[in-house]
Amino acid sequence: MSDHSKSLLVQGDFLEDVYAIGRWEGNRFKPSSVERLAGGAGNTFANAQAILSESFIPVEIEACGGDALELWRFIDEEDRHPTLMAYLEPTSTQVRPFRNYPRLDYYDGILVSDYNKGGANRLDYVTAKPIAPWIIVDSRYRSTSPILIGSYAETKIWRCTGLEYNREWAKNFDYVVHTDGPENIIVSSSKGQMMTYSIPGIDVVDTCGAGDTFDAALAAYLLLTLSEYPKGLSNFDPIVDALEFCVEAAQDVCTQPYTSITLSRI
């Protein structure tokens, strides 16, 4: 493997997941405690940092996006399940480790976490035009501009989940990684390749942030191992080989409460 340093750009909507634990009294919720955690692109960024913190190759990770929104989850302290969710304007800045525009012209990979809040389609990116060998796009509402996707990278990967998949939008990408909770993962390519990967069963505590963690794990795997593949991403072998680690990392956070950071390492 190459011992040269690598760079990763994490771009998109930096949310703040706010967990208010308490009880409902009529139509009013009275919290006994509030916990704030990085969500959206912030959670993706944090998981990428954690996974790559002990890597054998130095990796510089840059975060770039728009102002964070707060996603509040009101959790009844008796059953511990969210009973209501709401987006609110930010009241703190603890999840703002990011720049408003990319610093470099070239990255070894780009990871987009798009929650349709404006952070993934900023005009700054059109001006800066950062490029990379590959880009991973997680666009929950298929709201990332295809023009931006096409201008970023030679190889384009879409990680979607459940009913998000759309055949027409998939044509913007070379590869699609379709996850669906505990169901099989389906990997397909624009060249007609397709395979499925079975998910082992686990006892789930909380699925919040599992998709962000999966994205971070896939980006980390490609950064650290792609040089081992003579054909690179001309076929989907590197992506298929990454799935075991991606699932391990995502399932690790599913065994922890709230939005969590994986302890898995490559």
Side-chain angles (χ1 to χ4, degrees):
M1 290 185 181
S2 170
D3 58 358
H4 297 297
S5 62
K6 302 286 186 180
S7 58
L8 174 67
L9 174 64
V10 178
Q11 160 189 327
D13 296 308
F14 285 74
L15 308 178
E16 187 168 18
D17 287 347
V18 184
Y19 294 89
I21 299 95
R23 63 177 57 192
W24 290 93
E25 294 184 2
N27 292 327
R28 292 179 60 85
F29 185 84
K30 292 194 173 182
S32 57
S33 64
V34 175
E35 186 167 358
R36 295 176 176 271
L37 300 166
N43 185 39
T44 304
F45 175 78
N47 273 280
Q49 275 192 321
I51 292 168
L52 294 166
S53 63
E54 302 172 17
S55 66
F56 47 84
I57 298 175
V59 178
E60 180 181 1
I61 309 176
E62 182 174 312
C64 187
D67 289 335
L69 288 173
E70 294 179 354
L71 175 55
W72 281 73
R73 293 177 173 88
F74 300 92
I75 302 173
D76 191 292
E77 58 190 5
E78 293 184 0
D79 61 22
R80 308 300 292 182
H81 291 296
T83 55
L84 180 67
M85 295 192 295
Y87 283 105
L88 300 174
E89 290 298 316
T91 56
S92 73
T93 58
Q94 77 173 56
V95 297
R96 204 183 196 287
F98 52 90
R99 301 168 57 86
N100 288 327
Y101 56 89
R103 183 174 56 86
L104 305 176
D105 296 325
Y106 176 88
Y107 295 87
D108 292 290
I110 297 176
L111 175 53
V112 176
S113 181
D114 179 11
Y115 282 71
N116 197 25
K117 303 302 176 187
N121 290 317
R122 292 171 57 91
L123 293 179
D124 312 61
Y125 304 149
V126 180
T127 303
K129 294 182 180 177
I131 60 172
W134 50 264
I135 183 172
I136 299 168
V137 176
D138 182 349
S139 186
R140 175 168 291 189
Y141 305 100
R142 301 189 295 274
S143 49
T144 307
S145 168
I147 296 174
L148 295 181
I149 295 170
S151 65
Y152 281 146
E154 179 180 350
T155 301
K156 296 167 279 292
I157 304 165
W158 180 26
R159 207 284 299 176
C160 61
T161 186
L163 297 177
E164 293 171 10
Y165 178 78
N166 176 276
R167 183 175 297 179
E168 283 301 309
W169 212 67
K171 292 178 181 179
N172 294 304
F173 299 88
D174 300 290
Y175 302 103
V176 176
V177 181
H178 185 194
T179 62
D180 192 8
E183 305 300 323
N184 290 347
I185 297 173
I186 301 174
V187 182
S188 58
S189 79
S190 58
K191 299 176 182 178
Q193 296 172 295
M194 181 176 291
M195 65 83 64
T196 60
Y197 182 88
S198 299
I199 305 293
I202 61 167
D203 293 327
V204 173
V205 174
D206 197 328
T207 61
C208 290
D212 300 328
T213 305
F214 188 103
D215 298 336
L218 179 55
Y221 187 93
L222 294 181
L223 276 178
L224 298 182
T225 69
L226 192 56
S227 61
E228 295 182 350
Y229 294 85
K231 295 183 179 180
L233 282 168
S234 62
N235 61 42
F236 65 10
D237 289 351
I239 298 172
V240 171
D241 290 347
L243 294 180
E244 181 178 1
F245 175 69
C246 295
V247 170
E248 174 194 318
Q251 288 192 330
D252 178 51
V253 301
C254 287
T255 64
Q256 305 175 48
Y258 311 144
T259 308
S260 303
I261 306 300
T262 185
L263 300 176
S264 298
R265 302 289 184 267
I266 297 174

